[in-house]
Amino acid sequence: MNRARSFARCLATAGAILLGTAGAAAAQNATLYEVTETMKLRGRGPEYRTRTATAALAGTIEAGTALCPAELAAALALDKCGVVAIAWDNLSLADGKGPVKGSFSVVVQGDNTVDGYEWAIARGSIHGQIDLSAALVEGMPLGSLRGEWVAEGARGGPLQGRRLRGLVSGVFRLPFIYGVPEGCLDTGQPVDCLMVSPPSYLFGEYPNVYPQTVQANEHSLGVPTVRLDLNFIATGEGRVRRGGDDD
């Protein structure tokens, strides 16, 4: 049976879950969630139409990474730093692909230990390409992102004077409704829970895709959020220009 048709027939009943990726924990060092999004459809005719969107995201990046150095995390007793971002994309509805750009800040606890992280200790920008063809064309709740980033420490903060650039890649996981077979979510990700094998050019590092339950902390105001499993790799020094564009 056609995979897209099979998936579409599964959009039925039971709990909201995410389509998860096998081995994702070993391949990612950051997790972001889409908190809000606004979108527009432009153009006439399916081959010319585009989808433009602006999204606000929030999440964390692991301690010991270039954007959350081990010495900083140790001094602040953190196992993760916070990340907040604003991103813009422009996707063709014919193939689900297009450019993405955005700005982000690395944040830690400020002057209020009760609310979320808010003290921006570094700022950066990102640009690259998004591929949502699996979701927009084939009906699979998946997407991918590949691009470059640049960041620098905020003036007066613990990372002042640090400038970095690097590569980022990762997977979008869209929430959906699916009837989960008994035992499907057992530890070990059993073979009978296998949903799809995405094209290798999209998810070469994630050969098999499994569903995962949307956790309580993966909602925004009670609504399941899109999750991004990302891997930030530093490759050298960089500098952020005013306005969020990199050089």
Side-chain angles (χ1 to χ4, degrees), residues 26-237:
Q28 73 183 74
N29 56 28
T31 302
L32 275 73
Y33 295 92
E34 186 180 271
V35 180
T36 65
E37 182 182 28
T38 58
M39 60 167 283
K40 293 181 180 180
L41 298 177
R42 301 178 183 275
R44 296 182 178 179
E47 67 272 26
Y48 300 112
R49 298 204 80 184
T50 61
R51 172 193 180 277
T52 61
T54 301
L57 304 103
T60 57
I61 187 166
E62 298 290 340
T65 57
L67 292 172
C68 186
E71 61 272 18
L72 171 68
L76 299 178
L78 299 175
D79 59 355
K80 298 179 180 179
C81 293
V83 179
V84 293
I86 300 292
W88 304 266
D89 64 38
N90 187 0
L91 303 180
S92 165
L93 294 184
D95 61 10
K97 301 176 183 180
V100 62
K101 64 179 181 178
S103 60
F104 67 88
S105 295
V106 180
V107 292
V108 296
Q109 194 60 262
D111 53 7
N112 186 340
T113 59
V114 177
D115 65 0
Y117 292 175
E118 57 195 9
W119 180 23
I121 59 173
R123 66 187 183 95
S125 60
I126 182 174
H127 66 272
Q129 293 288 317
I130 287 180
D131 188 338
L132 287 180
S133 57
L136 298 181
V137 179
E138 301 182 37
M140 300 177 188
L142 293 167
S144 69
L145 179 153
R146 296 186 185 278
E148 300 178 351
W149 60 270
V150 62
E152 63 183 7
R155 183 177 301 177
L159 298 182
Q160 178 176 331
R162 179 170 297 201
R163 295 171 175 173
L164 294 167
R165 67 167 61 243
L167 304 175
V168 62
S169 62
V171 175
F172 289 82
R173 304 198 301 181
L174 284 62
F176 66 100
I177 302 297
Y178 182 74
V180 182
E182 183 177 356
C184 183
L185 299 179
D186 290 349
T187 302
Q189 299 171 326
V191 174
D192 63 359
C193 188
L194 179 64
M195 294 293 298
V196 293
S197 293
S200 59
Y201 68 87
L202 278 180
F203 310 104
E205 61 268 53
Y206 306 118
N208 296 323
V209 179
Y210 298 84
Q212 294 181 351
T213 301
V214 174
Q215 302 300 310
N217 63 351
E218 295 181 314
H219 291 70
S220 176
L221 299 177
V223 179
T225 54
V226 175
R227 172 174 166 173
L228 283 75
D229 291 332
L230 301 176
N231 190 33
F232 285 85
I233 300 175
T235 59
E237 293 188 355

